[in-house]
Amino acid sequence: MAEAAGRADAAGRPRRHRTGVRGRITLAAASVVALALVIGAVIFWIVLRASLLEGVRASAEQDAAALAAQVEAGGATSLGDLGELDDDRIVLVVAGGAIVAASEEAPATAAGLRDGASVRVDDETYVLAREDAESDADGGDDEVAVIVGRSTESVDETLGTVARLLAVSVPLLVALVALTAWIVVGRALAPVERMRRQVDAVTATTLADRLDEPATGDEIARLAQTLNGMLGRLESAQATQRRFISDASHELKSPLATIRQYAELARAHPERVRDGELGEVVLAEGDRLERLVQGMLVLARADEGALRPDPAEVDLDDLLLAEAARIRGGGAVAVDTSSVHATRVRGDAALLAQLVRNLVDNAARHARSGIVLAVDPEPGRTDRASGGDASGAVITIDDDGDGIPPGEREHVFERFVRLDDSRARDTGGSGLGLAIVREIARAHGGEARVEDAPSGGARLRVELPAAASAR
């Protein structure tokens, strides 16, 4: 618990890692360059050493070949005093396994002195070269071997100097790369830090502010554009939410005010209110409140992505015929159900019943004399909810009212929207019916739209995915 608490600051937010993106990129770049330079330096040192030693060995072979030719021509005595040779060479002349001539620094025995070997004499290393010669200058016919060793002291000094230079230059180069990466990454991330500060300063009251977009056209500029787009969507969502709350408050206040007025009138002047009138008003306005609250709950679930249908087999024709009987019972408009065909879909029965009721009530409110209900399977439509091909059910509700202009047809699906006086509150509508229709249709993978009706009014068309057995 103490460790977990130590990972959060006083505000309860997780502590930031001390090493940010800038530090991690710098560390990664420096590490990669350091590894490459160390590997390159080691390989360079090994190749240089092999090359220098090969040069020393070639010099020893040349000396051995020259001395062997001299021995063949004049015998071992022709070499003179070998003690006068350069200090960086040793020479031995071996005949019959015995040393017949040697320089001062030469080993006391010739055992193990083979061609290409190295020997250490008085803390100094020599690379050996051996050359055989036949000499009869001394009256014999002995095989003579001339062994010459070249000192590697100069090679060791050169390699030591190179190693010291590499030991100094590699860290300097790594430091230079790290510094360069730190500066370059810092400059590249400077716009990101500015955007972070600007986003951190955004509150519910400053959603209209936008981030500065760099003119570079790179990933950071696209990030700024994306964040600005997100702020725009948040601002729009906030405005929609505020408008929804305002409209909902107004809608709820209207029936409550009506109930209060009748109640106050009944208490102050009971003689003016006939028997049962107050109860009728309360029931009517209560029913209106119930429908409004239920509609807002459906829309709230849709906004939260929680409007998930409980799938079951639903007969759409039964739903439309039931609503037709209800409207006929009111006697206000005529209802034509001749185009209602047997159609079954797989969806939420309660939600689809609400969809059908909202469609029929909307048409009945705006019709002059009658409405036409129709439902029929539409074969060959793609089921967007399941991703497969299946039949699609189509519901159409026509009215013979004034219709809806093409430019306003999308607005009728917005919440609390009324296009004109014909859609005023006194007609009984709340402005949520068609918004609920579209949300329910989309929750089932379908869509809702407005078209022209043959009677000159409006046609509301809802397309829904259907079960495999559509009929």
Side-chain angles (χ1 to χ4, degrees):
M1 293 295 292
E3 180 183 358
R7 293 175 182 170
D9 58 15
R13 295 172 298 187
R15 287 182 177 175
R16 297 176 182 173
H17 295 290
R18 294 183 179 274
T19 304
V21 174
R22 187 182 189 184
R24 291 197 296 271
I25 293 177
T26 300
L27 180 61
S31 300
V32 171
V33 172
L35 181 62
L37 288 177
V38 168
I39 293 175
V42 170
I43 294 174
F44 172 75
W45 189 88
I46 292 173
V47 171
L48 178 63
R49 180 177 180 274
S51 177
L52 293 176
L53 289 178
E54 183 63 28
V56 172
R57 185 176 293 109
S59 297
E61 289 176 352
Q62 291 177 359
D63 292 343
L67 293 177
Q70 187 175 347
V71 168
E72 286 183 351
T77 56
S78 64
L79 297 178
D81 186 6
L82 296 178
E84 298 178 355
L85 293 175
D86 297 336
D87 292 338
D88 62 343
R89 288 192 301 173
I90 57 174
V91 178
L92 295 90
V93 179
V94 180
I99 298 176
V100 297
S103 59
E104 291 182 359
E105 302 295 333
T109 176
L113 301 182
R114 61 185 183 278
D115 186 48
S118 297
V119 63
R120 192 163 183 82
V121 180
D122 295 336
D123 297 331
E124 191 170 348
T125 303
Y126 294 86
V127 176
L128 304 178
R130 178 171 180 149
E131 189 75 23
D132 296 329
E134 294 182 0
S135 174
D136 55 1
D138 298 326
D141 192 11
D142 298 330
E143 287 189 358
V144 179
V146 178
I147 301 175
V148 176
R150 277 280 186 175
S151 174
T152 61
E153 182 179 5
S154 61
V155 173
D156 294 338
E157 291 177 353
T158 301
L159 293 176
T161 301
V162 171
R164 288 190 293 273
L165 290 174
L166 292 175
V168 174
S169 61
V170 168
L172 286 177
L173 287 174
V174 172
L176 179 61
V177 170
L179 179 61
T180 303
W182 179 266
I183 294 174
V184 171
V185 174
R187 290 179 178 273
L189 293 179
V192 177
E193 177 61 21
R194 287 198 302 272
M195 286 189 288
R196 186 200 65 79
R197 290 196 298 267
Q198 291 175 333
V199 171
D200 188 57
V202 173
T203 63
T205 59
T206 60
L207 285 177
D209 296 342
R210 294 294 181 265
L211 308 181
D212 298 332
E213 296 183 5
T216 54
D218 55 8
E219 290 82 358
I220 295 178
R222 291 195 292 272
L223 174 61
Q225 295 170 0
T226 302
L227 291 175
N228 282 335
M230 180 193 67
L231 290 175
R233 291 190 295 273
L234 289 175
E235 182 184 12
S236 176
Q238 184 191 58
T240 302
Q241 183 182 40
R242 289 177 175 174
R243 185 172 62 251
F244 181 80
I245 294 173
S246 175
D247 291 340
S249 301
H250 186 83
E251 293 289 342
L252 291 172
K253 184 170 62 176
S254 178
L256 289 175
T258 302
I259 294 173
R260 183 181 179 87
Q261 289 171 1
Y262 267 88
E264 290 176 348
L265 179 63
R267 185 177 63 178
H269 305 283
E271 71 281 357
R272 297 185 180 180
V273 180
R274 60 181 176 80
D275 295 340
E277 185 177 0
L278 178 59
E280 293 175 1
V281 170
V282 170
L283 288 175
E285 296 300 325
D287 184 59
R288 179 179 174 186
L289 279 172
E290 183 180 3
R291 292 197 306 270
L292 183 61
V293 171
Q294 183 181 6
M296 289 191 295
L297 288 175
V298 171
L299 294 175
R301 288 169 56 197
D303 290 340
E304 295 172 358
L307 192 62
R308 298 185 179 91
D310 186 12
E313 298 294 330
V314 181
D315 291 320
L316 291 178
D317 52 304
D318 291 346
L319 296 180
L320 267 74
L321 292 175
E323 291 301 319
R326 181 177 63 87
I327 297 298
R328 288 192 184 105
V333 294
V335 183
D336 181 357
T337 58
S338 60
S339 298
V340 176
H341 301 136
T343 304
R344 176 172 293 178
V345 297
R346 187 166 182 80
D348 191 294
L351 291 177
L352 291 177
Q354 186 173 5
L355 177 146
V356 171
R357 170 160 289 199
N358 287 358
L359 288 173
V360 173
D361 284 346
N362 178 81
R365 279 195 303 271
H366 305 308
R368 290 193 180 94
S369 59
I371 61 176
V372 178
L373 311 186
V375 63
D376 195 49
E378 181 185 15
R381 180 175 169 266
T382 299
D383 184 352
R384 297 188 306 181
S386 62
D389 290 334
S391 298
V394 179
I395 303 172
T396 59
I397 310 293
D398 297 353
D399 65 66
D400 57 357
D402 296 330
I404 301 175
E408 302 291 342
R409 290 177 180 176
E410 280 300 309
H411 294 312
V412 299
F413 292 105
E414 297 177 5
R415 301 168 190 186
F416 297 112
V417 170
R418 297 174 182 84
L419 300 185
D420 50 40
D421 293 338
S422 68
R423 288 165 172 82
R425 288 182 178 87
D426 56 13
T427 62
S430 65
L432 294 178
L434 294 185
I436 294 173
V437 166
R438 171 163 280 184
E439 293 294 346
I440 294 176
R442 288 179 173 176
H444 286 79
E447 188 54 88
R449 63 176 180 267
V450 178
E451 299 174 349
D452 290 323
S455 59
R459 165 176 287 181
L460 288 170
R461 176 185 178 96
V462 176
E463 299 177 358
L464 295 171
S469 55
R471 294 183 182 274

